Each structure stands twice: as C-alpha cells, then as structure tokens.
Amino acid sequence: MRYILDARYYLRGWHGAPSGLYDTQRRKAVFFDQALYKLLLKCDAVQEIDTASLSVKENELLKSLLNEEVIREAGRWDFLLEEQRYHAYPARYRRNVHWSITGTCNLRCRHCFMSAPHAKHGMPSKEELLNVVEQLAECGVTSAEITGGEPLMREDFLEIVEALLDHGITIPTIYSNGWLVDEKLLDALEARGLKPSFQISFDGLGHHDFLRGVPGAEKHAAEAIKLLRQRGNTVSVAMCIHRGNASSLRETVKFLASLGVRSMKCGTMMDLGEWSDPELADLKLSPQEELEVFEQYIPQYFEDDAPLSIMMSGAFLYEKDRDNWGVFYHRECASDKEDEMLSCPVLAHCFYIGADGVVAPCQGMCDCDFGKNFPTLKEKTLSEILTDSDYVKYSYATVGDVRRGNDECRKCEFIDRCTGSCRSTAIVAGDNYYGVDPQACYFFKNGWEDRIRAAAQPAFEAYIKRNPPEEKDGGRDDNEAAPCP
C-alpha cells in the first residue's frame, strides 16, 4: 500500500529536533521518535508500505496518522509537493518572533520601559530589517508579531510586511498605540491577504493621555479600536495600572468591551526606562495596592457578566465563556519534575528581537543591566544565536534551575505551587535570571491566593449560573495559556 502526506503538512527538522511535522494551518510543528519518523518519510505516494512487516508501534502510528487525516491512501496520480519534502533548518525550533522594527515612537509615554521617547534603541535601516527577515526564514521561523516603539511610524512598514509574507512568515499580531491606524493601512494589509489582530494600548478611560504624554492619544486609540472592529480585525488591549487610573478599571473594561475588544491584560509597570524616573514614584502601586485593586474589581467584573477576557498581572485570569478561572502565578511542579518543566513554557517556541538587534527570550529582559548577557545580530547570525548561545541557555531554564538559583525559592513553603514565575521581573528586581520574582513571592507569602479565590469564586459561580458556558471543542495549547503578565 502507498500513502501520501496531506498537503497541509510539511516534513521539517531543526537543530536538536530533526524529526518534525509542520502543520501549515496551525502554524506549529510536532516532533516524532526518529525510528517512527522513518515511516512518515515513506508516505510520499511512491514507496510501498507493507503493514504486515511493521512493528506494533509503527502500525499504531500509521493508524493514528490515517484517523487524524495526516496521511491518506495515495491515488494513481498523487505526488508529494516539493515544499512538503524534508528540509532541515540550522537552528533550534522557534516558531514565533516578537520583533521590534523600530525603537522610536510618536508618543511620549511616561512608563516606556525601552525609552522610545528618547529613541534609545534607534531606527534600524530597511536593509537591516530585510536581512533579519532572510535570517528568520533560514531558521524556519514562521510567525512574526510586529512591535516597536511604534511600528507604523516606519515609511517602509509595508515593504517589511511584504518581505515577511514573501518568505512564508505570517503576521498574527501588530502592537500599536493606534494613532496611525487608518483605512489606508488596513486596505493595504488586506490587499496583501493579511488581516492581523492588533494590540492597542489603552491606559484608562479619561487617563490615557496623561500616561501617553500627548493630548488626543485616547481619542485616537478609541477610534482605532472602532475602525479595526468595523473592518473585522481582532483587538486586544494592554492597560498599565497606576495610582492615577486604578479607580477607572471597571468603567474602562466596560468601555473597551462596548467597542468590541476581545481581551485585555493589565498590571503595573517595571521600574525600567521612563518609569524609573523618581518624579513618577508617587504614581507607582505597591504589590499590595495592585492586588487590592484586583481584589475589589474581580467581583464587579463578574457582576458585569465578564465583558471581555482578562488577565490581571499573574493574580487572575479568565477567558470569557470558559467554565473556570485561574491564577497565572499558580503552576504546580513536584520536585521530581523540576528539571523537566521549563520555568516559562512560552520561551520554548517564542523569542524577541530588538530594534538594536538584541536576541533575548522576551522583550522585558533587554533594558536592565542583565540585558548585556544576550547576543545581538551584529555579533552573530540568528542561526548561531538560536543554536548555541547564552540566549539558548536562558530560554531553556527549568524550574529546577530557578529553585537552585536562589535560596529563597528552594526554602519556600509554596515551592509546590510556584515555578518561580516571571524571569523578566526577577532580573529587573535582582539582576539574577534564576532569582526571585518579588511580585509572585509577595502574592503567595501574604495569603493573596486565598484572598483572590474568596473574591472571585462566589461571583464566578453566580455569573456561571446566569451564563452557562457552551461546550467547546478542543483546548488551548498549554504553551500558549496566557501572555506574560
């Protein structure tokens, strides 16, 4: 019998993971045992497969591949497409890059951790960006989320978009302040077959202009959200909480939901860049004050019938229409699994490239003293960085690495339910990649998990009684459970 791989699947390999099957619809790869992968390689419509000669495991795999429609029996005129044939990339597997294509911005945000108002990271040339696109394709990266600074400021923005698309790299999300989002831009994106989601910053109804430093910023952000929703683009929002806008959280959520915003994440800022200015000290919420804001708002959120999906730092997470809510900080890991479980699972498939060429596990790590530990594209090629560098070492940090990396985590009574939380927050607080995340630490040690549960559960149960969730197919990828808080 001859079999053929369905056209949506490509045979791919990466450094250290040579036996991959790439799904072009889900834009992700799964990996096989190398011995069993040989069977998949034979599904090319040419080679005969004698099921009677296969092992039990091989027959089980063949049956599974047929049931899941990964392969099918080959017809007389079937042939494998050239792009489906096996190709190995000279780098470790990373499917998504979060990419700052500029370090400049048209606003003057008081909390910008990368100091875009002062163009700290500069504006890379078009040639430099096109070279990055080439390297992304060479490494098998298939998805690029575009950010800045403000990425829409670039006059060559659409040329960069075209280059990515020409190399088979999708653009699922564009991060923007919304000021430059207009019909012309959306027409141009749609003409290229692209309808990305947008994440728009919105820092409190009636408070946005203050934090963004330019009059009219709130009006432009709201108009951008309205336009995007009218055009069918998905919109999420990020809100930075501080002493001045915390009281507006409830009305802000309701307002954004009325505009059609799908999801929102909110939390305080890190003490980096502009936000480290001593003149802003009075605006900063302490960990307790931030959690008190969330504790007060969560029952109101459910009273308002959960207007949109929301994430409040690591303290509370709810995806609308689900039958449970969660605490992002709470990730259980037994001691016998600590060297298998990654401290941050997202870092196994995503990474960040800065406007200055730095390659790091995530964006929040680049603007503190520890950022000098990460390589740049001016020093090495992307394939070299993604294969063997300090970036690789840190991106694969395990829960065990964190627990061994500081005495406080190893001795903590909450070690069974905390994996160390956010590495960005840890290095900003203590310049130690394996150090303590003080926000998560405060959360557990001061009884806030119980307090959040007491605030959320009764309100949630009443909400579910009013709004029974519909049965949904499938589930969320564990590695994509939530964005970083």
Side-chain angles (χ1 to χ4, degrees), residues 276-478:
S276 61
D277 187 337
E279 293 184 6
L280 300 175
D282 289 343
L283 289 176
K284 300 174 186 177
L285 296 175
S286 67
Q288 177 174 328
E289 289 171 325
E290 179 190 40
L291 290 166
E292 286 173 347
V293 171
F294 298 155
E295 180 184 40
Q296 178 182 355
Y297 174 60
I298 290 169
Q300 298 172 346
Y301 168 75
F302 286 122
E303 287 171 15
D304 296 336
D305 287 337
L308 43 68
S309 299
I310 195 166
M311 182 179 186
M312 304 180 198
S313 291
F316 178 82
L317 171 68
Y318 181 65
E319 185 176 343
K320 190 168 173 60
D321 298 327
R322 293 279 178 172
D323 60 1
N324 64 307
W325 59 274
V327 172
F328 189 73
Y329 286 138
H330 190 135
R331 291 177 61 223
E332 296 183 8
C333 180
S335 59
D336 61 340
K337 299 293 183 183
E338 65 180 21
D339 288 323
E340 300 174 19
M341 185 174 184
L342 294 180
S343 175
C344 179
V346 176
L347 304 187
H349 57 83
C350 297
F351 67 106
Y352 171 71
I353 298 179
D356 54 1
V358 68
V359 178
C362 74
Q363 187 173 14
M365 298 179 178
C366 300
D367 285 85
C368 57
D369 290 342
F370 193 87
K372 65 180 178 294
N373 289 286
F374 299 117
T376 75
L377 294 175
K378 297 173 183 177
E379 303 164 342
K380 297 182 176 182
T381 65
L382 185 60
S383 63
E384 290 172 331
I385 293 172
L386 296 186
T387 300
D388 184 20
S389 68
D390 282 345
Y391 156 77
V392 173
K393 177 180 71 174
Y394 291 121
S395 64
Y396 286 115
T398 65
V399 175
D401 291 330
V402 174
R403 290 175 178 174
R404 288 186 293 271
N406 70 87
D407 290 338
E408 195 166 349
C409 283
R410 173 57 73 182
K411 297 174 181 178
C412 182
E413 63 183 298
F414 301 101
I415 191 171
D416 63 330
R417 70 191 68 176
C418 177
T419 59
S421 200
C422 180
R423 296 300 86 212
S424 291
T425 307
I427 63 176
V428 171
D431 202 35
N432 176 7
Y433 194 89
Y434 307 110
V436 174
D437 174 347
Q439 292 179 315
C441 198
Y442 184 89
F443 180 83
F444 285 114
K445 289 186 175 180
N446 290 275
W448 274 98
E449 186 166 23
D450 291 338
R451 288 182 63 168
I452 292 296
R453 187 167 298 280
Q457 192 60 27
F460 174 70
E461 291 174 359
Y463 160 73
I464 287 295
K465 191 173 291 187
R466 296 191 306 271
N467 304 276
E470 296 181 6
E471 197 71 31
K472 291 189 175 183
D473 293 332
R476 187 197 282 145
D477 186 332
D478 288 342

Side-chain angles (χ1 to χ4, degrees), residues 55-93:
S55 68
V56 173
K57 284 188 176 182
E58 288 173 327
N59 269 303
E60 288 177 351
L61 175 62
L62 190 67
K63 183 178 179 180
S64 175
L65 294 172
L66 285 166
N67 288 340
E68 295 175 16
E69 299 182 341
V70 175
I71 63 172
R72 57 178 171 80
E73 293 183 9
R76 182 176 180 181
W77 304 109
D78 280 333
F79 61 92
L80 204 63
L81 301 174
E82 187 60 35
E83 58 267 28
Q84 291 182 273
R85 297 187 182 278
Y86 184 78
H87 178 77
Y89 297 106
R92 295 178 186 272
Y93 174 62

